[in-house]
Amino acid sequence: MKSRIDTLDGLRGIAILLVLAGHTVANLQPLGWLETPWIRALANPGGGVRLFFVLSGYLITHLLLQEQAATGSIGLLQFYRRRALRIWPAFYAYLLTLVLLALWFPTGLNVGTFTAAATFTWNYASFWAVPPPEGTWNLGHLWTLALEQQFYLLWPLALIVFPRRALWIAVALVIWCPLARVGTYYLFPAQRGLLAMMFHTGIDSLMAGCAAALLLQSAAWRERLLRCGRLAGSAALWLLVLSPLAALHVRGFGVSAGFTLDAAAAALLIAWMHRAPPAWAQALLGRGPLRMLGLISYSLYLWQQLFLSPDGWLAQGRLLAPLLAALAAAVLSYRLVEKPLLGLKDRRHRSPPLPGLPAKTA
């Protein structure tokens, strides 16, 4: 059995490109021809993070269900061990690098920010830590990994304890989150900047992927999916073009409905690319540069933050140097940290390896 789903690696490559484009357009000075609403909308890091989240929810659920069907159970401790081997080494290598760099210049680390980052609680860190300006950027993307780790901790338990209600739990959380975001916006104004980040207001993207994987256990739903090519194309158009433009022109769109609609569109696109990919999609996503970017996307997501900062090379108007540096750091991280430990994980587990995310991590 193949250890990777090539077309989904290609989608992961698209997700990291959206993140890179968004950070580049936001921080490059002077912007020149990039200073247009269209470019700012379509260079969409939020859409990339959403795609990462849905991919993670879908793949984790799909592979846990495979394990359950093959063995009759889900090995919880083995799952946590595999996730730790997949996520922790590259993450802590990045965090250690920030600690070492702090010997020469500010990186935003203090006791509060280091603790929040190291314990995967960054999405709630503002309740007890005040990051310096450098920490807001260098550690800011770690909210996505915090949210994913919290998901990894709880979702397998839900599948074990409530196997027949797991789909309803996923759907209920997808419905709950936009209501929770709007309610929090008005009732707790101080938390408005955290609405996409906190577990109880931002888990809908992961749950949309989980719901899609659970639905596709049914042969009837798999049969319906084969006829959804045009609908999947519409989902891609929504996710990559229409949604970011709507967010640009409609105040509060993302918080109220946009995040959830993006997640639903991404779930349909991912399911279709997994179960019924046409030949052109297999060629575009399953081979070539997009797939290669997908393979290193986790490391690239971690390390791009150091090089695409608002006061670094991009602030000096230099475009090529930070992108190449981020790519080089990601390749080194993948080769020296991720890949060897992925091999260890695979040797000790008989199921296909679990592809990870920065989500993630946004």
Side-chain angles (χ1 to χ4, degrees):
M1 186 181 296
K2 288 187 67 174
S3 64
R4 307 285 305 195
I5 301 170
D6 292 342
T7 51
L8 299 193
D9 279 332
L11 284 180
R12 196 178 285 107
I14 291 174
I16 193 60
L17 281 177
L18 289 173
V19 172
L20 294 174
H23 289 169
T24 299
V25 169
N27 297 329
L28 182 62
Q29 298 294 331
L31 288 174
W33 62 272
L34 293 175
E35 187 63 52
T36 67
W38 275 81
I39 294 295
R40 282 191 174 275
L42 300 182
N44 181 17
V49 169
R50 211 73 49 211
L51 190 53
F52 272 131
F53 277 154
V54 181
L55 276 164
S56 186
Y58 181 86
L59 285 165
I60 291 297
T61 304
H62 169 69
L63 292 169
L64 286 175
L65 292 173
Q66 275 193 330
E67 179 183 350
Q68 193 172 50
T71 66
S73 64
I74 292 173
L76 200 58
L77 293 180
Q78 286 296 311
F79 171 80
Y80 292 146
R81 184 188 66 82
R82 295 193 304 270
R83 289 291 83 200
L85 283 172
R86 179 68 182 91
I87 300 298
W88 291 7
F91 168 77
Y92 286 115
Y94 174 78
L95 196 58
L96 178 60
T97 300
L98 290 182
V99 172
L100 295 176
L101 290 175
L103 298 174
W104 291 277
F105 55 83
T107 59
L109 286 174
N110 55 36
V111 173
T113 58
F114 179 84
T115 301
T119 58
F120 296 101
T121 55
W122 186 264
N123 53 340
Y124 288 96
S126 63
F127 289 101
W128 70 83
V130 179
E134 302 84 8
T136 302
W137 179 259
N138 291 331
L139 300 167
H141 60 322
L142 301 184
W143 71 267
T144 58
L145 293 177
L147 184 55
E148 284 221 7
Q149 292 295 296
Q150 293 151 19
F151 163 75
Y152 295 151
L153 185 65
L154 296 174
W155 180 241
L157 287 171
L159 288 177
I160 292 169
V161 177
F162 305 109
R164 299 189 180 189
R165 297 180 182 176
L167 177 59
W168 294 109
I169 292 172
V171 171
L173 287 171
V174 170
I175 296 170
W176 157 260
C177 280
L179 301 175
R181 285 193 291 267
V182 172
T184 303
Y185 182 90
Y186 287 107
L187 296 175
F188 304 98
Q191 298 176 23
R192 288 177 179 177
L194 305 175
L195 293 176
M197 304 180 188
M198 297 183 292
F199 183 90
H200 67 285
T201 59
I203 197 63
D204 49 336
S205 296
L206 285 146
M207 288 295 108
C210 298
L214 288 162
L215 280 174
L216 290 180
Q217 285 186 287
S218 161
W221 278 99
R222 292 196 297 272
E223 180 64 26
R224 290 189 186 102
L225 188 65
L226 295 175
R227 301 190 293 271
C228 284
R230 290 185 179 179
L231 191 58
S234 299
L237 179 65
W238 169 265
L239 188 65
L240 299 176
V241 179
L242 299 180
S243 177
L245 289 175
L248 184 67
H249 295 290
V250 181
R251 184 179 179 184
F253 173 75
V255 166
S256 59
F259 297 160
T260 303
L261 292 175
D262 287 356
L268 173 60
L269 182 62
I270 289 163
W272 188 65
M273 286 297 181
H274 177 203
R275 294 289 188 171
W280 65 263
Q282 294 181 55
L284 177 65
L285 299 175
R287 297 186 289 274
L290 283 176
R291 179 175 179 270
M292 296 306 297
L293 278 175
L295 289 175
I296 65 168
S297 59
Y298 174 50
S299 281
L300 188 51
Y301 182 78
L302 282 172
W303 289 93
Q304 53 81 33
Q305 206 82 356
L306 270 182
F307 301 101
L308 304 183
S309 68
D311 55 1
W313 277 321
L314 292 176
Q316 304 164 18
R318 299 171 65 184
L319 178 61
L320 192 59
L323 291 173
L324 290 178
L327 185 62
V331 170
L332 285 173
S333 175
Y334 178 76
R335 295 278 186 184
L336 300 179
V337 181
E338 278 193 75
K339 196 171 182 180
L341 288 166
L342 283 174
L344 173 64
K345 172 175 70 70
D346 296 342
R347 283 196 299 272
R348 296 184 61 182
H349 181 64
R350 61 176 176 270
S351 296
L354 295 172
L357 216 221
K360 4 172 100 159
T361 45

